């Protein structure tokens, strides 16, 4: 957004022409002008640098990495699921433009849900080449425990409140199934480390929702985790 202050002290905002459903970051600014370099990356958008002129409200791409997969047949959307306590849980879905809502789409659902880590769109050539280009559906869930919506989003799932994180994840899966994007027969889930703990919980609490569970470098022993490697530093989280 470009924010402009009027002589009476009020502010107005206008949107800058950047792509939708991507991650943006200010890479550098000119302290003497309203110009900046913006880094842009997304599920279907290779990492690129844009030149932004806030005085004009314009942005244009300067350089981009070469694409590593064919993204021409895919599209990115953002949807919402309703968790057990009524909280709206956003998620990104990357799918073929021609996707049929018949419950038969092979789908991977990924999330992390911890340590204030924000899961935002990024260009992943492996996911793109091996899954999206082949017609698979890829979903990134912004469940609580992360930092996507500020400290309260993270704090909501700390310590003994952690079940809300797992409820959020299951709610996204249920929403995908209700919308007939996929079904338990065609749904797999993936997560590592703290996300591996997430996978372990989903594997035991809601096994009826998944046909494949990819548990990567998981933390699973929650009674003795503080004795495992850097576990003492995780006490504030768990």
């Amino acid at each position: 957004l470009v924010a402009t202050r009027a002589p009476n002290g009020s502010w107005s905002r206008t949107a800058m022409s950047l792509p939708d459903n991507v991650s943006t970051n200010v890479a550098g600014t000119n302290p003497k002008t309203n110009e900046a370099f913006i880094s842009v990356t997304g599920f279907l958008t290779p990492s690129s640098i844009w030149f932004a002129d806030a005085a004009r409200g314009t942005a244009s791409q300067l350089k981009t990495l070469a694409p590593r997969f064919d993204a021409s047949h895919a599209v990115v959307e953002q949807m919402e699921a309703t968790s057990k306590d009524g909280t709206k849980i956003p998620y990104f879905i990357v799918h073929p433009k021609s996707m049929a809502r018949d419950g038969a789409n092979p789908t991977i659902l990924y999330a992390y849900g911890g340590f204030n880590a924000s899961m935002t769109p990024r260009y992943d050539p492996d996911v793109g080449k091996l899954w999206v280009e082949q017609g698979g559906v890829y979903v990134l869930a912004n469940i609580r425990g992360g930092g996507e919506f500020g400290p309260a989003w993270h704090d909501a799932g700390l310590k003994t409140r952690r079940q809300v994180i797992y409820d959020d994840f299951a709610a996204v899966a249920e929403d995908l199934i209700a919308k007939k994007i996929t079904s338990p027969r065609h749904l797999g889930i993936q997560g590592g480390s703290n996300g591996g703990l997430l996978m372990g919980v989903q594997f035991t609490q809601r096994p009826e929702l998944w046909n494949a569970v990819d548990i990567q470098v998981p933390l699973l022993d929650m009674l003795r985790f503080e004795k495992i490697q850097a576990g003492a530093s995780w006490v504030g989280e768990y």
Side-chain angles (χ1 to χ4, degrees):
L1 297 173
V2 177
T4 305
R5 189 180 186 187
N8 65 0
S10 64
W11 290 86
S12 62
R13 297 179 181 180
T14 56
M16 187 167 282
S17 54
L18 288 164
D20 290 330
N21 294 322
V22 297
S23 299
T24 60
N25 186 49
V26 177
T29 61
N30 185 336
K32 297 181 180 179
T33 71
N34 289 310
E35 299 168 335
F37 290 126
I38 309 293
S39 66
V40 175
T41 184
F43 299 107
L44 306 178
T45 306
S47 297
S48 57
I49 295 293
W50 289 57
F51 175 74
D53 186 340
R56 297 181 179 181
T58 59
S60 57
Q61 187 181 105
L62 294 179
K63 282 191 172 185
T64 181
L65 294 178
R68 301 287 297 277
F69 63 93
D70 181 7
S72 62
H73 302 293
V75 66
V76 181
E77 293 185 84
Q78 190 177 35
M79 300 182 180
E80 274 188 344
T82 303
S83 194
K84 190 175 182 179
D85 64 359
T87 302
K88 300 296 183 180
I89 308 300
Y91 62 91
F92 292 99
I93 173 171
V94 188
H95 65 84
K97 294 176 181 177
S98 59
M99 179 184 70
R101 296 207 176 194
D102 57 5
N105 297 289
T107 302
I108 293 175
L109 170 57
Y110 180 89
Y112 186 75
F115 292 92
N116 204 35
S118 297
M119 297 290 105
T120 56
R122 68 182 183 91
Y123 195 71
D124 188 328
D126 294 332
V127 170
K129 189 69 179 177
L130 301 177
W131 193 253
V132 175
E133 190 178 291
Q134 310 305 317
V137 176
Y138 183 77
V139 180
L140 176 64
N142 297 123
I143 59 180
R144 282 173 284 185
E148 293 90 345
F149 301 102
W153 197 252
H154 170 232
D155 294 349
L158 280 181
K159 298 185 178 180
T160 57
R161 298 188 295 271
R162 208 151 196 86
Q163 184 61 44
V164 302
I165 295 170
Y166 311 131
D167 292 341
D168 291 356
F169 189 87
V172 173
E174 290 168 340
D175 197 60
L176 292 168
I177 294 167
K179 289 185 168 94
K180 295 188 176 181
I181 293 168
T182 191
S183 61
R185 171 78 181 123
H186 301 282
L187 179 55
I189 57 176
Q190 183 183 57
S193 192
N194 174 74
L197 168 60
L198 171 66
M199 295 299 100
V201 172
Q202 300 302 326
F203 185 74
T204 54
Q205 286 190 355
R206 301 299 306 273
E208 77 282 2
L209 289 177
W210 337 107
N211 198 32
V213 182
D214 180 10
I215 305 179
Q216 303 173 342
V217 291
L219 173 64
L220 296 176
D221 186 349
M222 301 312 295
L223 294 179
R224 297 177 296 175
F225 75 87
E226 68 271 27
K227 301 182 184 299
I228 301 171
Q229 295 182 348
S233 65
W234 307 333
V235 172
E237 181 77 10
Y238 298 124

